[in-house]
Amino acid sequence: MSSHLYPITDRMLPREAKESLLEQRGGVVWLYGLSGSGKSTIALQLERQLHDEGKLVKLLDGDNIRTGLNKNLGFSDEDRAENIRRIAEVAKLFVDSGMLVLASFITPTNALRHQAREIIGSDDLLEVYVQASYETCAERDPKGLYQKVKDGQVAQFTGKDSSFEEPTQADLTLATESLSVEEACAQLHMAIGQHFQK
Ligand code: ADP
C-alpha cells in the first residue's frame, strides 16, 4: 500500500510559512478530565479570549468530532483509542497550518494521553488536567449525565464503570474545585503564552 504513495509533503508550503502569515505559533492545548470537570467552560472562554487577541484558534470537542469524523465510534477501549488517534492526527494537521488547537476530551487513561503526545509531539503539546472529583462533577452535572448514570441509562461512564486514571505527566493541573472559571482561564492563558512562545 505505502509503495503506491508518492509523497508531495516536501514540496508543500512549510508550516513556518503559515505561521508567519498568521503571526503566531501553532500548538495543541489538550484539556482532559472527567465529564463536568470544566473542560468546555474553560476552552470556550479561552477560544474567545485568544481570538480577540488576534489568534486563529480551533476548538475540537465531542460536539464537532463525535457527531462527524468519529460518529462510527463508541466507548469501548478500542474505539476510545481510535477516537483519540484521529483527534490527535487532525490536531496535528491544524498545527501544520499554524493554528492553535484547543482539544477538549475526557482522555481517561495515561496510555491515551501518551498516544496523543506521540502523534502531536511534546514541543507542540500543552497537556492540561482539568481536575475535579467525581462527586463534584456529579453535583454540577451540567449535562444531566450523572443523573442518567444513577438511573442506569448510561453504560461505560468514565469514573463509574469505565476507569479514569490520575495523570502522570500533565504540564498543568487546573483544580476547578478551588479555582474560579476566571482564575483557571488566567492560569491557562499564561501557560499557553509560555509554552508556545515564538
Ligand atoms: P466538561 O466540558 O469537562 O464536561 P463543563 O465545562 O461542561 O465540563 O461543565 C463544568 C461545570 O463546572 C460548569 O457548569 C461550570 O460553570 C462549573 N465550574 C465551576 N468552577 C469551574 C472552574 N473553575 N472551571 C470550569 N468550570 C467550572
Side-chain angles (χ1 to χ4, degrees):
M1 156 95 162
S2 57
S3 61
H4 298 300
L5 291 175
Y6 298 93
I8 57 163
T9 331
D10 58 334
R11 284 173 285 152
M12 286 179 186
L13 274 177
R15 168 177 170 180
E16 291 71 28
K18 312 292 173 87
E19 289 183 329
S20 56
L21 181 76
L22 296 170
E23 297 179 1
Q24 68 181 43
R25 184 202 187 290
V28 181
V29 179
W30 196 289
L31 299 156
Y32 60 82
L34 291 173
S35 176
S37 60
K39 301 180 295 298
S40 7
T41 304
I42 293 169
L44 286 165
Q45 185 148 324
L46 251 292
E47 183 192 30
R48 275 177 196 279
Q49 190 179 350
L50 293 166
H51 179 86
D52 290 346
E53 291 166 6
K55 305 266 191 267
L56 187 57
V57 189
K58 183 65 191 165
L59 205 170
L60 301 177
D61 82 345
D63 277 354
N64 57 19
I65 292 289
R66 279 215 179 254
T67 57
L69 178 68
N70 290 357
K71 70 176 172 194
N72 62 328
L73 300 177
F75 293 88
S76 65
D77 288 350
E78 199 183 20
D79 279 6
R80 281 179 192 264
E82 179 59 11
N83 182 47
I84 296 301
R85 188 190 70 77
R86 289 186 200 168
I87 295 160
E89 291 287 358
V90 167
K92 195 177 159 177
L93 291 174
F94 278 116
V95 172
D96 277 340
S97 307
M99 291 175 62
L100 261 177
V101 179
L102 300 174
S104 163
F105 297 94
I106 296 173
T107 331
T109 66
N110 285 314
L112 291 173
R113 296 158 199 156
H114 180 74
Q115 185 188 7
R117 185 175 285 275
E118 287 282 295
I119 292 169
I120 295 161
S122 288
D123 283 354
D124 291 328
L125 178 70
L126 182 71
E127 197 187 303
V128 182
Y129 177 30
V130 182
Q131 183 188 38
S133 68
Y134 187 91
E135 291 68 32
T136 297
C137 294
E139 220 164 87
R140 291 176 179 168
D141 204 9
K143 298 171 199 142
L145 276 174
Y146 285 82
Q147 188 54 50
K148 282 191 180 160
V149 171
K150 261 193 192 159
D151 298 340
Q153 293 167 19
V154 185
Q156 295 172 304
F157 191 72
T158 310
K160 182 101 192 307
D161 41 9
S162 185
S163 70
F164 183 88
E165 284 172 14
E166 286 299 303
T168 50
Q169 62 167 22
D171 295 307
L172 176 69
T173 296
L174 297 172
T176 66
E177 285 176 30
S178 49
L179 295 171
S180 67
V181 174
E182 280 61 38
E183 286 167 338
C185 289
Q187 283 195 14
L188 181 55
H189 187 263
M190 197 190 296
I192 292 172
Q194 284 166 355
H195 199 82
F196 297 126
Q197 241 164 19
K198 237 190 139 35

